[in-house]
Amino acid sequence: MTTRHHLPLAHEQSIAGPVTSSTSRTDDLMGALGDAEDEERLFQVGDIAKATGKTVRAIHHYEEVGLLTPHARSKGRYRLYDQAALTRVRWIGKLHDLGLSLSQIQQIVSTWESSPSAPGAMAQIRHVYQQKLEEVREQVAHLKTLEHELVASLAYLDTCEACDPAELVAACTNCNLHDKSTAEPELVAGIRGNGHCRHGSNHR
């Protein structure tokens, strides 16, 4: 038995023309799916967009630049995509997250498709992923450093809650609340634009 997948979306009408009724549209899609292989699931562009968090316009753009190809079209000329297309769009999204531009992704696909051998194609992909892995690890290390600085700054600022509410901000240069042997976090010192001053006040 053929598995049919259909989620009617209003914006499809602007792409392929008006639909007279939901029943006729459902019949149209079912007719297109009738020739599909058993257990194959086909999706409309709106389904792909919803599943991947992309816009319908983005999906169409991927098709225009050769990164995506509809599996079939319904009798009403609606684009129908298979599971491989869904996987491709998610893949594009992940590469975008890694900082690759659409033109770079096109180059990866072009290199893959033109490679004379499977091992050669895989080696090219591995090189790209290895480079991105190194960049991601550098980013993670940088974020870890920022995390430690934020934790230290928050711990330092927690002490300020004991300060006299009537104390003036201008007096926050000679604090007696903080341990003077502990360096003031730069995220705190930088507020005054003078890193060597200590945060605090002339407490009574």
Side-chain angles (χ1 to χ4, degrees), residues 26-172:
T26 301
D27 292 341
D28 179 38
L29 180 61
M30 292 179 66
L33 294 175
D35 297 329
E37 296 179 358
D38 288 347
E39 301 306 321
E40 183 177 40
R41 301 178 65 196
L42 298 183
F43 307 87
Q44 292 185 16
V45 63
D47 302 327
I48 297 290
K50 182 177 180 180
T52 60
K54 299 293 183 179
T55 64
V56 170
R57 182 177 181 180
I59 304 301
H60 288 321
H61 185 58
Y62 296 158
E63 183 180 339
E64 291 170 1
V65 299
L67 291 175
L68 196 65
T69 303
H71 180 77
R73 284 182 180 269
S74 68
K75 293 179 180 179
R77 305 303 296 166
Y78 291 100
R79 294 173 174 87
L80 301 176
Y81 301 89
D82 58 9
Q83 183 64 41
L86 180 60
T87 300
R88 169 58 70 87
V89 174
R90 285 174 173 160
W91 175 74
I92 292 173
K94 290 181 184 295
L95 292 188
H96 276 315
D97 290 343
L98 288 171
L100 290 170
S101 66
L102 194 59
S103 61
Q104 289 175 314
I105 296 174
Q106 286 178 277
Q107 183 60 47
I108 291 175
V109 173
S110 176
T111 300
W112 166 269
E113 294 177 344
S114 62
S115 180
S117 69
M122 288 299 187
Q124 291 287 339
I125 299 300
R126 188 184 187 285
H127 174 72
V128 173
Y129 288 175
Q130 181 64 46
Q131 183 179 27
K132 284 301 172 183
L133 176 60
E134 294 172 2
E135 292 177 4
V136 167
R137 284 174 171 167
E138 290 178 357
Q139 293 171 4
V140 169
H142 178 63
L143 290 174
K144 280 291 185 182
T145 298
L146 290 178
E147 178 188 17
H148 293 323
E149 291 184 6
L150 284 169
V151 169
S153 297
L154 289 171
Y156 190 91
L157 292 171
D158 284 344
T159 305
C160 298
E161 294 180 356
C163 182
D164 186 348
E167 194 63 78
L168 299 177
V169 172
C172 290

Side-chain angles (χ1 to χ4, degrees), residues 7-25:
L7 295 175
L9 296 176
H11 53 242
E12 280 286 352
Q13 297 182 15
S14 62
I15 298 171
V19 179
T20 57
S21 69
S22 59
T23 301
S24 63
R25 181 167 176 179

Side-chain angles (χ1 to χ4, degrees), residues 168-180:
L168 299 177
V169 172
C172 290
T173 56
N174 186 25
C175 180
N176 295 318
L177 291 178
H178 296 96
D179 183 358
K180 295 185 182 300

